[in-house]
Amino acid sequence: MDYLAQQQPLLSKARFEKLQTALGFNFKPMGLLAHPAYGPKVIDCIMFDWMHIYLVNGLFNVLTGLFLGDLHENGWKNPEIQRFADTFTWPARLRGAAPKDVLHKRGKSDSLKCSASEALNFLQVLRTYLVLWVLPQCNEDMRNACEVWLAMCKVLDALQKIAVGDGFSAVELQALVKGHLDLAQARYGADSFWVPKCHLALHLPLQLAKHTCLMSCFVHERKHKIVKKISNQVLDTSRAFEKSILDDVLHGHMQQLADPAFLPGEGVHLVQPVRPAPAKLQAELRRCWNIQGEIMTANQAVHAGNFAVSAKDLAVLHLDGQRLVGRVGYHIQADASCWSHVTLWKHVHGAMFTLSEDGQDMPEEAPQHWEGVQEDMQDISKEDGQDSVFCTKSHMNMCKLQARTQDQKKSSGAKRQGKGKVPLTAEQVGILFRTLVQKVNCAWAGALCLLQLFLGDRADAARQASTEWFRNLNPDSGNPPTVAIPDCNDKTTVREVYLSKGFAALLWHWVLEPLKGRDERSSWPHPGQNLHSALLNMKPVLLFPGRVRGGKDRRNWKKAMSEKAYYDAVRSAAGIIQRERAQAHRQGGKHPYDDVDLDRLGTHSMKKTCVTELCEQNVSPAVISQLTGTTEEVLLCHYYQPSQRKQQEAVSNGLAKVVAAVSPKIPPQEASAESYGYCSHCGMQRKSEWYFCPKCGTKFHDMA
């Protein structure tokens, strides 16, 4: 403002207006910004709206238009993509912003014209289309264009996480924003892509660091519709026009505040209109659940995330460590609890599910508690496309032919391997631990992963670990370290077992010097968590406390970390490892996880790893049963999966005598001076100075 004050008397009116436009400020000598006391403070409060930067004639619209031009030139036309988008059935709360007709009547490289909400939904559809149809068969140039556009998708994913309060640092956001801008400028050039909003986007990480949040105008823009709806009914604008509109707006706002349906912190509840459930439904529910009070029903219910989910919507449920997809039938409220009837869909392959309008081919039909419904169908697919959550009927028909061949190849192997989580080798555990700590930035998840492995128990038991469980963690105590596991749940066996001295020393080291993640936000023990004092004074303190609801990294010291949070961290690490493995394969190399089905990597893999490693070391099943609190029959049937190395050794050593019996004998004159026959156990050609076979360890009796 001082610079504008200096330039005003020196420049012409036209040049001064251009200067104001370039600087982004209108100079008013008597305005607030020019006031010597208040002006600078007002400027410090400025925050750019990421919604307008990216989604309202913004970077998403410009870059998507250029990217659609690349798709068009390589054979993926706009009408084909629009037909794919039109096949999706959207949840009730998103149906008004479905991306319909966004590609009709546009040039091949024109900027995308749509609302901000339509842009977010179209992003999900186009990303799914790329993963399913473009990336598997495109050339290198088209793959480069996809990487540029997907880099921008990562930025929008991060901005949406920040908007709902998920932890995301300014440094991470800065790397994503700068990365996608550099890629876009390198591909399309400054003339085609670079607009002033590119510069504004670079300020978002700085404003996040300063204000710890990024506000947007989504709600404000939606309120415009309320004013327009009222003003369109006012025909006489000559008398108190503005006041009459504001009166109606205020009354409507007060009426909405009187309805607590969408107020934060109201928990799970039905949304008006709420009515008594049909008589037949009430009779059946009373018979099954012995309900005495009145049973109410509604077309919509709000879960803990303050999102309304309607009947006939699709929902993703996390139950017992599994991710399931189903259709919501109805919502009820009985005895102060809300429940939803969800019909689960049977997973067929990839993004395909068995579905039916009448529910005859559904694998299961049972009421599930509403807290199990964690999200609706806005998240159509993950970024890497390996775990899409639903598909339309036409999409399923398009996938069937491709999926049938792959299913036939995998069916025989799947029958032999069975279901359940996959065990890991020691090297693979080390990679998973480092990925959780450094790349997922969850130091607590890395420590919990190792603790669960060394306890040989389920995730639900390990997450509730407390300082009062442990004895003699300090290596200087001179006594063997032990763990007394209490009755945590219905499946945990009460027992006291020995803990590995090496791992106990490692835990003690972390208690004194916390395990650090990628940045200062992640460490274990958490800041303010004094495990050292608790262990010395035998005070019960949770090792892995959960978060305060709605808080940013604020810990609830009396509540253990949820099993879902632990599972999500492991699945995030699996996704990172999967991308690293794909990168290694593209470069013609190998990866330590080549023999692991990462879709089966979960929290239960740690117990399976513990049992498998102990069995590989020929530890007695009775000892393993005592350590893990699991019967020998269950261990051998469900937990022990022999490694490929063990199978190779069994075949080589077990059949070595047959190999030796059928191998040709080398005449003495043809044998080398160093050879001395064959080992009778493994068939390896031996040398004269050997007393033992270096391969199998068999003692040569003729050398005694």
Side-chain angles (χ1 to χ4, degrees), residues 85-350:
D86 293 341
T87 58
F88 287 92
T89 301
W90 293 84
R93 71 181 187 86
L94 299 177
R95 205 160 292 156
K100 295 181 179 180
D101 302 332
V102 296
L103 299 183
H104 288 168
K105 298 181 180 180
R106 64 174 300 276
K108 64 178 183 179
S109 296
D110 291 347
S111 177
L112 189 69
K113 296 181 180 179
C114 59
S115 68
S117 298
E118 288 175 341
L120 285 179
N121 292 333
F122 182 69
L123 178 149
Q124 304 289 352
V125 172
L126 185 56
R127 181 158 56 183
T128 305
Y129 185 82
L130 296 184
V131 171
L132 294 176
W133 307 115
V134 179
L135 288 175
Q137 51 185 322
C138 67
N139 55 34
E140 191 64 29
D141 180 70
M142 190 65 234
R143 182 175 294 275
N144 174 262
C146 291
E147 291 177 353
V148 173
W149 189 79
L150 290 173
M152 179 189 61
C153 293
K154 292 181 180 180
V155 176
L156 287 170
D157 291 340
L159 292 172
Q160 292 180 79
K161 289 182 179 180
I162 295 171
V164 298
D166 286 356
F168 210 92
S169 68
V171 176
E172 294 173 316
L173 180 62
Q174 183 180 26
L176 291 178
V177 172
K178 187 177 184 304
H180 104 78
L181 291 177
D182 289 343
L183 290 174
Q185 187 177 16
R187 178 168 182 85
Y188 298 110
D191 294 337
S192 299
F193 170 70
W194 199 263
V195 293
K197 288 185 177 181
C198 294
H199 175 75
L200 299 182
L202 293 172
H203 285 270
L204 292 175
L206 301 176
Q207 293 170 356
L208 175 62
K210 181 177 181 61
H211 303 292
T212 69
C213 68
L214 288 177
M215 294 184 289
S216 66
C217 291
F218 271 105
V219 176
H220 181 72
E221 292 287 346
R222 284 195 292 268
K223 296 301 181 184
H224 289 177
K225 297 180 180 179
I226 299 176
V227 179
K228 291 180 180 178
K229 181 179 179 180
I230 297 173
S231 61
N232 289 338
Q233 307 301 320
V234 179
L235 301 180
D236 183 5
T237 61
S238 60
R239 295 175 297 176
F241 175 66
E242 294 84 357
K243 181 179 182 299
S244 62
I245 292 178
L246 289 178
D247 286 343
D248 290 339
V249 171
L250 178 61
H251 293 156
H253 187 49
M254 296 299 294
Q255 183 180 3
Q256 290 180 345
L257 289 176
D259 182 6
F262 294 98
L263 292 180
E266 290 297 323
V268 182
H269 56 273
L270 303 182
V271 177
Q272 296 290 347
V274 179
R275 58 192 181 278
K280 291 184 178 180
L281 178 59
Q282 290 201 39
E284 186 66 20
L285 292 175
R286 295 183 193 280
R287 183 183 65 83
C288 296
W289 289 347
N290 193 26
I291 298 175
Q292 301 301 325
E294 188 175 13
I295 301 176
M296 308 299 291
T297 185
N299 189 55
Q300 287 185 320
V302 174
H303 66 78
N306 256 46
F307 291 120
V309 179
S310 302
K312 299 184 180 181
D313 279 353
L314 297 183
V316 178
L317 300 89
H318 295 275
L319 300 175
D320 299 330
Q322 296 184 353
R323 182 172 179 169
L324 306 174
V325 174
R327 183 186 293 274
V328 178
Y330 52 85
H331 312 288
I332 64 166
Q333 180 175 336
D335 295 340
S337 296
C338 289
W339 299 75
S340 291
H341 181 281
V342 180
T343 301
L344 300 181
W345 286 9
K346 183 179 179 181
H347 182 240
V348 178
H349 172 84

Side-chain angles (χ1 to χ4, degrees), residues 471-544:
R471 301 289 187 277
N472 305 320
L473 276 186
N474 188 350
D476 298 334
S477 66
N479 298 318
T482 60
V483 183
I485 303 176
D487 184 10
C488 302
N489 50 53
D490 295 337
K491 296 183 178 180
T492 298
T493 302
V494 178
R495 63 194 188 278
E496 183 171 5
V497 295
Y498 290 102
L499 192 64
S500 165
K501 290 184 178 180
F503 181 63
L506 186 60
L507 280 179
W508 186 257
H509 172 73
W510 287 338
V511 167
L512 299 178
E513 298 182 16
L515 175 65
K516 298 292 186 181
R518 185 174 63 245
D519 53 44
E520 297 179 355
R521 294 187 304 108
S522 175
S523 65
W524 185 85
H526 302 285
Q529 185 183 20
N530 192 350
L531 296 183
H532 181 258
S533 176
L535 288 168
L536 292 179
N537 300 320
M538 298 300 296
K539 292 183 178 179
V541 174
L542 290 172
L543 267 64
F544 307 102

Side-chain angles (χ1 to χ4, degrees), residues 328-385:
V328 178
Y330 52 85
H331 312 288
I332 64 166
Q333 180 175 336
D335 295 340
S337 296
C338 289
W339 299 75
S340 291
H341 181 281
V342 180
T343 301
L344 300 181
W345 286 9
K346 183 179 179 181
H347 182 240
V348 178
H349 172 84
M352 293 171 51
F353 293 84
T354 301
L355 59 103
S356 173
E357 295 298 332
D358 56 7
Q360 295 300 318
D361 58 352
M362 301 302 177
E364 182 179 353
E365 195 165 322
Q368 305 290 349
H369 197 273
W370 183 250
E371 290 180 355
V373 181
Q374 299 296 330
E375 55 186 292
D376 59 22
M377 294 311 300
Q378 182 179 4
D379 294 327
I380 295 177
S381 72
K382 287 188 176 179
E383 177 183 338
D384 54 8

Side-chain angles (χ1 to χ4, degrees), residues 673-699:
E674 297 181 351
S675 65
Y676 199 74
Y678 294 85
C679 173
S680 61
H681 189 262
C682 67
M684 182 177 181
Q685 189 174 6
R686 50 183 284 204
K687 297 182 180 180
S688 58
E689 67 272 16
W690 288 357
Y691 286 84
F692 294 90
C693 176
K695 182 176 182 181
C696 64
T698 301
K699 181 179 180 180

